[in-house]
Structures are given as C-alpha cells and as structure tokens.
Amino acid sequence: MTHSPFQVSRLDTAVESIRTRVTTAPRVALVLGSGLGDFADTLEDAVAIPFAEIPTMPVSGVQGHAGKLVFGRAEGVDCVAMQGRVHLYEGHPASDVVFGLRLMIRLGAKIVVITNAAGGANPRLDAGELMLIEDHLNLTGTSSLLGPNEDALGPRFPDMTAAYDLKLRELALGAASEAGFQLARGIYAGLLGPSYETPAEVRMVFAMGADAVGMSTVLETVAARHMGARVLGISCITNKGAGLSHGVLDHSEVTETANRVKGRFVGLLRGVLARIAKGEAE
Ligand code: HPA
C-alpha cells in the first residue's frame, strides 16, 4: 500500500525536538481559545516552547494568537496547553491547522480539551455563557483528513458517532455545577470565516441544528478522533450570532466577553482536571 509518511515524519521531528526540553509525557492537552491563553501561565513547573522553535510546526499570524506550547501541571495532572492556534482562514492547509493538536497527542495526551469563542446561533444563548459541545457540524468545506490516509496515525474512516466523549461531558457538567453555574449544552457549527456570518447564515445553521457558530474546533476534533484521543469541547459564547442582537459584530466584543468570562472558564477547566486526577474520566 502506498501512503505518504509526510505528517508522521514531520510530527516525529517535532516530538524529538520537544523531548530534548521536556521529558514528562502530557496526559491532557488543552487548546486555549480567545481569552483563555492566560491559563497556560498558571501551569506549575511550566516549560514554554514558542511554535517558531519547534521544527516543522506551522505558525499563525493572527494578532492575539501568540503561539506556544506550554508544558506543566495543573490539579496534579501533567498537561500541555496550546496557546494560540492556526486557523483555516489564514490559508493554511487543513492538515497544518491540526498539526499542533496532533503533536500534543503524539507526545502522549489521551484527552484533549478544545476551547473556543463562538457566536450564539440559538437565540436562547446569551453572551458570556459557556456551552458544552455535544456534537458538531463541519461546514468548513474541508477535512483535516484530506489526502492519503496515514495508517500510523489512525484509520481512513474514523467513527464520529461520539466525537465529544460522553464521560468527559458528564464530568464537565459536574465540575460546572460544583463551581455554582449551569453549563449550556449544544451543537457547534464550524465555518471557514474569517468574515462573521450573515444573519441568513446564522438562521441557516440554527435550522440545521447548531446552537453556536465559530471558525475552529471541528477540524481539530476530527483529527483527535482519528488518532483515538478523547475530546472535550467547550465554547465561550462571546456574542449573539449576527442578526440576533441589535448591534453589529466586532472582534473587540469577542475578546471583551472572553476576558470577562475567563475566570469562570479557567475555574471550569481546573474542576475538570481535578476530576480527571481523581480517575473520574476512566
Ligand atoms: N461567529 C463566528 N465565530 C465567532 C463568533 C461569531 O459570531 N464569535 C466568536 N467567534
């Protein structure tokens, strides 16, 4: 059988370079969306490696998405956090968009926590709410598995029936209620961006069953499932979707809401990690 060893060899080059600086294998990988980057700075015994210092790692140019991997411990769990991510709308191939996530899994992470900022497509969702992702619609028009399959990473046709792990979802709901708030639950639609949606597009995705819209996560979840990692996805609803509020959408609103909610979001992540440490994810 012929298949390109390209991704695998790139990943292993990156793994080799990281292992010269970090010897502990991470158990949990976190992709930190807008506003959550600070979480990485709270990891104990942290070792930060800028993307630019990792051979073969694609680098993002988006402002406010300074890219680095931060290794360290939180709530007794060895973690690696990706601060800043590469987006499809920057023009990177889908396989590059998920490279950082694949790398964290290749380094040993069995659980990935993927976070994002999203607009509410369901009129019942308000800015500032956190939403547990139960499932997704990949409306990016592409797949992170496009091209020859690399059998060393995963199967050609990975199952997506329970892309967002049920046990981890229950664990997150428990952690939220312990922290004193209710986590919304819903379906995340991932679009290409980078323009925000038209009001008609927001109504379309809601009619299709989505509760939130964003420009990330779905390709990452597909790649994680391809590699057999378990996924927990959480959206910070930073704004009502286009047409559902009186104003127009502006990136500053997204970052302001994300910053406002970050204390609660970080608390939730810590609650989730504490439960994982107690063995509740098994
Ligand atoms: N649409 C898409 N992506 C987003 C939004 C939105 O309304 N808010 C934050 N990220």
Side-chain angles (χ1 to χ4, degrees), residues 7 28 37 45 48-49 71 100 136 138 147 152 155 158 161 169-170 182 188-189 210 219 266 274-275:
Q7 283 285 327
V28 175
D45 300 327
I49 307 182
F71 295 80
H136 77 217
N138 175 7
T161 310
R169 273 148 59 188
E170 283 167 1
Q182 220 191 340
Y188 174 93
L219 299 177
V266 167
R275 283 166 184 249

Side-chain angles (χ1 to χ4, degrees), residues 243-264:
L244 295 177
S245 70
H246 298 300
V248 295
L249 289 187
D250 188 279
H251 184 60
S252 63
E253 180 186 355
V254 170
T255 49
E256 271 163 33
T257 311
N259 279 324
R260 176 162 61 80
V261 177
K262 104 182 142 191
R264 188 147 43 95

Side-chain angles (χ1 to χ4, degrees), residues 117-119 196-197 213-215 238-239 249 254:
Y196 290 115
E197 300 70 37
V213 271
M215 306 173 194
T238 53
N239 55 278
L249 289 187
V254 170

Side-chain angles (χ1 to χ4, degrees), residues 85-148:
R85 52 150 76 92
V86 171
H87 293 85
L88 193 63
Y89 59 70
E90 294 173 70
H92 300 279
S95 54
D96 274 8
V97 171
V98 301
F99 188 85
L101 182 99
R102 284 199 186 278
L103 176 57
M104 296 192 292
I105 296 170
R106 195 85 177 157
L107 284 161
K110 302 278 187 284
I111 292 177
V112 304
V113 181
I114 305 180
T115 67
N116 60 50
N122 185 330
R124 293 161 71 130
L125 283 172
D126 280 320
E129 285 194 73
L130 296 179
M131 187 191 90
L132 178 66
I133 303 176
E134 295 189 309
D135 204 348
H136 77 217
L137 298 174
N138 175 7
L139 301 177
T140 63
T142 189
S143 168
S144 40
L145 310 183
L146 197 67

Side-chain angles (χ1 to χ4, degrees), residues 21-276:
R21 293 166 73 168
V22 184
T23 48
T24 316
R27 185 164 167 218
V28 175
L30 301 111
V31 181
L32 304 175
S34 306
L36 263 189
D38 293 1
F39 175 76
D41 302 326
T42 70
L43 294 175
E44 299 151 40
D45 300 327
V47 177
I49 307 182
F51 291 169
E53 293 176 18
I54 303 172
T56 78
M57 178 93 180
V59 179
S60 162
V62 182
Q63 266 185 358
H65 286 271
K68 53 182 171 168
L69 288 186
V70 185
F71 295 80
R73 234 180 8 265
E75 307 297 326
V77 181
D78 288 311
C79 295
V80 53
M82 191 162 86
Q83 201 179 45
R85 52 150 76 92
V86 171
H87 293 85
L88 193 63
Y89 59 70
E90 294 173 70
H92 300 279
S95 54
D96 274 8
V97 171
V98 301
F99 188 85
L101 182 99
R102 284 199 186 278
L103 176 57
M104 296 192 292
I105 296 170
R106 195 85 177 157
L107 284 161
K110 302 278 187 284
I111 292 177
V112 304
V113 181
I114 305 180
T115 67
N116 60 50
N122 185 330
R124 293 161 71 130
L125 283 172
D126 280 320
E129 285 194 73
L130 296 179
M131 187 191 90
L132 178 66
I133 303 176
E134 295 189 309
D135 204 348
H136 77 217
L137 298 174
N138 175 7
L139 301 177
T140 63
T142 189
S143 168
S144 40
L145 310 183
L146 197 67
N149 187 56
E150 292 186 49
D151 297 345
L153 296 179
R156 173 75 292 188
F157 302 111
D159 176 55
M160 291 291 143
T161 310
Y164 298 88
D165 189 90
L166 192 54
K167 198 88 173 251
L168 294 174
R169 273 148 59 188
E170 283 167 1
L171 193 147
L173 290 167
S177 76
E178 191 179 349
F181 70 95
Q182 220 191 340
L183 199 51
R185 291 186 277 178
I187 313 291
Y188 174 93
L191 279 67
L192 175 61
S195 61
Y196 290 115
E197 300 70 37
T198 63
E201 287 164 346
V202 170
R203 290 193 298 272
M204 173 189 77
V205 297
F206 182 56
M208 291 167 98
D211 299 286
V213 271
M215 306 173 194
S216 66
T217 302
V218 294
L219 299 177
E220 294 163 337
T221 296
V222 167
R225 295 303 301 138
H226 182 234
M227 295 177 82
R230 296 164 68 195
V231 178
L232 174 66
I234 304 168
S235 291
C236 173
I237 307 299
T238 53
N239 55 278
K240 284 182 165 290
L244 295 177
S245 70
H246 298 300
V248 295
L249 289 187
D250 188 279
H251 184 60
S252 63
E253 180 186 355
V254 170
T255 49
E256 271 163 33
T257 311
N259 279 324
R260 176 162 61 80
V261 177
K262 104 182 142 191
R264 188 147 43 95
F265 209 156
V266 167
L268 176 62
L269 292 183
R270 288 199 166 272
V272 165
L273 290 169
R275 283 166 184 249
I276 290 173

